[in-house]
Amino acid sequence: MKIKFTGTGDGRGIPSVGCKCQRCSLARKNGGKNRRRTVSVIVTNKSDTILFDTPSSIGQVLNEEKIFHLTAVFLSHKHFDHVGGVTVFEYWPEKILVYGNMSVLGNFEITDRLYENCEFHVLHDKKSVKINNIKVKPFSVAHKVPTFGLIFTENDKMIMHFSDKAEKRLDDYEKRLLKKSDLAIFHAPGFDGGTDHIDVLQVLKIAEKYPSTTFVITHIGHNNLSHDELEKVVSSYGNVVIAYDGLTLQV
Ligand SMILES: [Zn+2]
Ligand SMILES: [Zn+2]
Ligand SMILES: [Zn+2]
């Protein structure tokens, strides 16, 4: 499987609209890896393309990536930075398969056309869905609203994606799966506290315990360190990657 990080910013993205802070000003001026769209990833294999989350940037992402067919779309939870772009699928030329929990699927009556263009499937905790050769297993993640992370498995390869995890504590299920995962993705808007999500320092503590798993940090906010500073911090860890828009990893 291949995973592409098509957006790596937190709910605001960087630069954040209306924000004149140093980080946003520099991102506006210089672009590069400090410019972060709101968060999404695309998982592909030989036959399928799976999109995870539809933030406000998703229309632009699909156009730039020249994606004209999606096998399925999965949604983690109802927060706007994860679903706010979903109305682009009003005009998608084929019926789109959408998987999510009841809390997020309840938002689809925003427009009649969107509602009609989607085929909905309700996800249940730890009940896998087969997307041809890729098994997608949702698991509940501690957050303010009902939220699913996803585990993508193909043959013996596994990607574990925690969406907007609030707590640094891992339950036994998460620990067991982390050990088996090739990639583990965490949303850490802040470096050291300051948000109600897990932060970079907490992810690094977890990464130390699972040396054979590669950890990817994404959903990064404008109050976090710059991309270069974050890379410097993680450089002494052999198994931590700071995501940027366009990063593609193969497992
Ligand atoms: Zn978020
Ligand atoms: Zn800012
Ligand atoms: Zn959220």
Side-chain angles (χ1 to χ4, degrees):
M1 283 178 290
K2 228 167 38 176
I3 181 164
K4 184 158 193 176
F5 294 82
T6 38
T8 60
D10 70 351
R12 293 164 162 263
I14 310 177
S16 169
V17 282
C19 184
K20 291 187 194 166
C21 81
Q22 199 198 11
R23 177 93 56 247
C24 290
S25 303
L26 281 174
R28 222 169 264 128
K29 192 168 150 222
N30 301 332
K33 291 178 180 172
N34 283 305
R35 206 180 172 102
R36 299 181 184 277
R37 291 177 177 137
T38 38
V39 76
S40 62
V41 295
I42 295 174
V43 175
T44 52
N45 66 355
K46 273 192 195 127
S47 58
D48 295 295
T49 305
I50 301 171
L51 171 65
F52 189 23
D53 278 341
T54 62
S56 53
S57 55
I58 204 63
Q60 202 188 342
V61 164
L62 294 168
N63 273 328
E64 285 179 14
E65 297 295 324
K66 298 188 177 61
I67 290 173
F68 302 104
H69 171 73
L70 288 167
T71 319
V73 175
F74 285 80
L75 300 170
S76 59
H77 65 299
K78 71 175 185 180
H79 282 159
F80 194 77
D81 59 319
H82 295 257
V83 294
V86 76
T87 49
V88 298
F89 293 115
E90 273 197 2
Y91 299 104
W92 196 250
E94 53 192 2
K95 194 113 183 158
I96 191 132
L97 258 63
V98 180
Y99 293 82
N101 60 29
M102 285 304 282
S103 145
V104 67
L105 294 184
N107 288 328
F108 272 74
E109 290 193 43
I110 314 174
T111 71
D112 291 345
R113 204 198 305 260
L114 176 67
Y115 190 72
E116 281 160 20
N117 212 22
C118 297
E119 186 185 309
F120 300 104
H121 296 272
V122 181
L123 290 174
H124 299 283
D125 192 26
K126 300 186 181 70
K127 290 240 163 76
S128 297
V129 175
K130 281 284 278 176
I131 305 292
N132 299 318
N133 209 34
I134 299 178
K135 194 174 84 178
V136 185
K137 192 181 210 179
F139 65 103
S140 289
V141 169
H143 190 30
K144 283 184 273 186
V145 297
T147 301
F148 280 138
L150 296 179
I151 299 163
F152 299 89
T153 311
E154 187 182 37
N155 304 324
D156 59 343
K157 297 295 180 189
M158 190 183 279
I159 300 170
M160 189 172 192
H161 192 141
F162 289 82
S163 296
D164 274 9
K165 185 173 171 58
E167 292 184 4
K168 58 181 177 182
R169 197 180 57 86
L170 297 168
D171 64 28
D172 289 343
Y173 178 81
E174 290 169 336
K175 286 180 190 166
R176 193 155 44 83
L177 270 291
L178 259 186
K179 203 176 282 178
K180 292 203 275 179
S181 294
D182 298 278
L183 273 189
I185 299 156
F186 281 88
H187 292 188
F191 184 73
D192 183 11
T195 75
D196 48 15
H197 292 60
I198 196 165
D199 62 37
V200 172
L201 291 181
Q202 290 167 346
V203 175
L204 293 180
K205 275 205 182 112
I206 297 171
E208 276 177 347
K209 293 187 189 142
Y210 300 88
S212 59
T213 301
T214 297
F215 287 74
V216 184
I217 294 175
T218 185
H219 196 284
I220 291 165
H222 69 156
N223 290 323
N224 209 319
L225 305 186
S226 71
H227 188 81
D228 286 353
E229 289 166 338
L230 284 170
E231 284 208 317
K232 209 172 281 172
V233 170
V234 305
S235 61
S236 56
Y237 294 74
N239 63 333
V240 183
V241 175
I242 303 297
Y244 55 86
D245 290 12
L247 171 70
T248 305
L249 297 171
Q250 178 94 42
V251 295

